[in-house]
Amino acid sequence: MREQGASTPGVDRRASASGADQGRPTCGVDQGSSTFGVDQGTSTCGVDQGTSAPGVEQAAGPRAAAETRGARRAGLLVTLVLGGLTATPPLAMDMYLPSLPEVTRTLHAPAATVQLTLTACLAGMALGQLVVGPMSDRWGRRRPLLTGLAVYVVATALCAFAPTVELLVALRLVQGLAGAAGIVIARAVVRDLYDGMSMARFFSTLMLISGVAPVVAPLIGGQILKVTDWRGVFAVLTVVGVLLGGVVWARLPETLPPADRHRGGVGEALRAMRRLLADRPFTGYLLTGGFTFAALFAYISASPYVIQEIYGASPQTFSLLFGLNSVGLVAVGQLNGKVLVGRVSLDRVLAAGLTVVICAATALLLMSAGVFGDVGLAPVATALFVLMSAMGITLPNTQTLALMRTRHSAGSASALLGTSSFLIGAVASPLVGIAGEHTAVPMAVVQLAAALVASACFVGMCRPWSRRAGTADGHPPARAHNGVGEES
């Protein structure tokens, strides 16, 4: 069992070149790279608050203070880079949404065929994670990430010149496959750098960045269409990809040392995934997060029809409510990272979040079924706000608790988490329209059923009341506060 302050998985155990004492790792940054990952006083590699960042001297004085400020600036930069990586795929999806009618007219294609450009991108993001995640465990994080970003930029640029909808669908599939590298490797890098409560805090910080992307992306897309056509949207996405790739190349060092990489090929990757899935708590958290994500997907798919068609709200009112719900998700995510983590066990916070989701979905179902009569928009919007806000403590904590179960297969674990969420969500989304566009009952039923299944997986497979020994890859778990991840 690893004591607090010891090095985390993927940490380079050699002495730091910048004067750090032995036992204070450099977070796997090879070739004397500068320290990073310090987020508002939270030290890197799962070291408790109050422990200095690697390479930052304990001695008081201007030099020590300057080094501390430099480490924190580097930590902020890495936070923004990882946030950008997780936000790029949502931008690629949602910035394109306002231009769908124009694509239909320009390419002379049916609306159903144009919708496949969204489906192809989403499928690529789901499947790409299964490929890139294990690759990053074998070759490190930087090479697969930079390769994925390069392919993403090329595919996005070609989308702007697509002459037919069939070619656009194919290019969007490639764009999704390559863009998946950002999602899966960002999570793996967080696992390399952080552990326990520090990892939970960092995921909550990432939610602040990635949670804003789906809100602002359609607005940006709409503004772009005022000065150009739909091809201009892909031109802007190409520029964003180039800038992000340049920052990753220059500022994001390798976080997985060669000694911690897998040496096998496809067979080793499959065995690593099998070991992960054989670990009941890991699979429990994976399914808990996946079905919670399905409730989120049900909201995204059905809310335009529920708010505008059923309750008669204007598009502007819908945009306002959508934005408020996203703000609630981000705000609760920050409450999770800044207040709850370290004071309440992650399992208890997750249980509370699932309970709130179930209560909100139940209220939505009762109102949609007419149990309380014609309630109007305000109560429904309030229930949706509560449900979405609760996602801010359920989604980051399921990822954290799952990744705490593995030490040397973070890429494969991240791939399984991402792919399962996308696939389960993709299956749940069409169900919300099964009874047409004039009732909200299917949305509420899907949300409640998904929340109940998520809770059943959490209770039955994770068994949060018991302390678990070992991890999914056969190593002792990381020690964390409040009993999370401790050996029995």
Side-chain angles (χ1 to χ4, degrees):
M1 180 176 70
R2 180 162 50 93
E3 298 297 330
Q4 294 178 5
S7 61
T8 58
V11 170
D12 190 354
R13 292 168 176 79
R14 295 172 296 180
S16 170
S18 54
D21 296 334
Q22 291 183 355
R24 291 175 188 163
T26 60
C27 300
V29 181
D30 296 336
Q31 300 175 351
S33 298
S34 60
T35 56
F36 58 96
V38 182
D39 182 22
Q40 298 178 351
T42 302
S43 60
T44 60
C45 303
V47 182
D48 293 338
Q49 291 182 2
T51 302
S52 66
V56 179
E57 297 178 356
Q58 297 292 328
R63 180 181 177 184
E67 290 180 353
T68 301
R69 288 193 297 269
R72 289 179 178 174
R73 285 194 297 269
L76 176 61
L77 177 61
V78 171
T79 301
L80 294 175
V81 170
L82 296 180
L85 290 173
T86 58
T88 297
L91 285 175
M93 288 285 295
D94 298 334
M95 193 184 295
Y96 170 70
L97 291 177
S99 62
L100 286 179
E102 185 179 352
V103 175
T104 302
R105 293 190 299 270
T106 304
L107 298 183
H108 307 289
T113 305
V114 175
Q115 288 285 347
L116 289 178
T117 60
L118 297 176
T119 304
C121 188
L122 183 62
M125 291 180 190
L127 298 177
Q129 295 184 64
L130 284 178
V131 177
V132 179
M135 287 173 59
S136 73
D137 284 337
R138 182 181 182 187
W139 290 302
R141 311 303 186 203
R142 274 178 61 88
R143 279 195 290 175
L145 177 56
L146 290 170
T147 301
L149 287 173
V151 175
Y152 170 85
V153 167
V154 173
T156 305
L158 292 176
C159 285
F161 299 97
T164 65
V165 69
E166 291 80 11
L167 182 58
L168 182 60
V169 170
L171 290 172
R172 289 282 282 175
L173 176 63
V174 176
Q175 184 190 41
L177 288 168
I183 305 175
V184 68
I185 293 181
R187 276 194 302 263
V189 168
V190 174
R191 183 63 183 96
D192 293 339
L193 301 180
Y194 295 92
D195 206 354
M197 300 303 169
S198 297
M199 180 163 53
R201 291 189 184 98
F202 197 89
F203 274 127
S204 295
T205 302
L206 284 186
M207 180 164 286
L208 174 63
I209 301 173
S210 60
V212 172
V215 180
V216 301
L219 301 177
I220 296 174
Q223 295 302 312
I224 293 173
L225 291 177
K226 289 184 177 180
V227 297
T228 183
D229 60 3
W230 63 272
R231 300 181 189 274
V233 173
F234 288 107
V236 172
L237 288 172
T238 301
V239 173
V240 171
V242 170
L243 293 176
L244 184 59
V247 174
V248 169
W249 175 272
R251 304 298 298 175
L252 185 65
E254 179 58 65
T255 60
L256 186 65
D260 291 334
R261 298 175 190 174
H262 292 176
R263 300 302 178 189
V266 176
E268 175 61 27
L270 294 176
R271 284 191 293 272
M273 289 186 178
R274 186 172 66 240
R275 286 193 300 269
L276 289 166
L277 294 175
D279 180 62
R280 185 164 61 182
F282 174 85
T283 303
Y285 290 124
L286 180 147
L287 293 175
T288 300
F291 281 101
T292 303
F293 205 67
L296 174 62
F297 261 60
Y299 159 77
I300 294 173
S301 300
S303 59
Y305 301 103
V306 171
I307 301 299
Q308 296 182 75
E309 299 297 330
I310 299 176
Y311 291 97
S314 66
Q316 291 74 25
T317 301
F318 167 73
S319 299
L320 175 62
L321 293 176
F322 192 91
L324 287 175
N325 290 341
S326 299
V327 169
L329 185 151
V330 171
V332 173
Q334 295 311 292
L335 175 67
N336 177 68
K338 305 299 183 183
V339 178
L340 298 179
V341 171
R343 293 178 174 87
V344 185
S345 72
L346 299 183
D347 280 316
R348 289 183 179 179
V349 176
L350 177 55
L354 290 172
T355 301
V356 173
V357 172
I358 290 174
C359 292
T362 302
L364 280 170
L365 179 58
L366 294 176
M367 288 186 286
S368 301
V371 174
F372 304 119
D374 187 7
V375 297
L377 176 61
V380 173
T382 301
L384 285 172
F385 176 82
V386 172
L387 186 147
M388 284 295 296
S389 298
M391 297 291 174
I393 58 177
T394 52
L395 295 178
N397 288 335
T398 53
Q399 292 183 6
T400 299
L401 288 164
L403 289 173
M404 285 172 64
R405 300 293 303 173
T406 179
R407 295 182 59 182
H408 296 297
S409 301
S412 297
S414 178
L416 290 172
L417 288 170
T419 300
S420 63
S421 295
F422 274 100
L423 291 181
I424 295 174
V427 171
S429 294
L431 299 178
V432 300
I434 198 170
E437 302 175 1
H438 304 291
T439 175
V441 171
M443 179 191 72
V445 168
V446 171
Q447 290 176 329
L448 180 58
L452 290 173
V453 174
S455 299
C457 293
F458 175 59
V459 173
M461 302 181 70
C462 302
R463 297 184 177 181
W465 60 86
S466 64
R467 295 185 177 185
R468 300 175 292 278
T471 62
D473 48 16
H475 297 276
R479 191 172 202 172
H481 303 294
N482 301 319
V484 177
E486 292 185 3
E487 292 179 290
S488 57

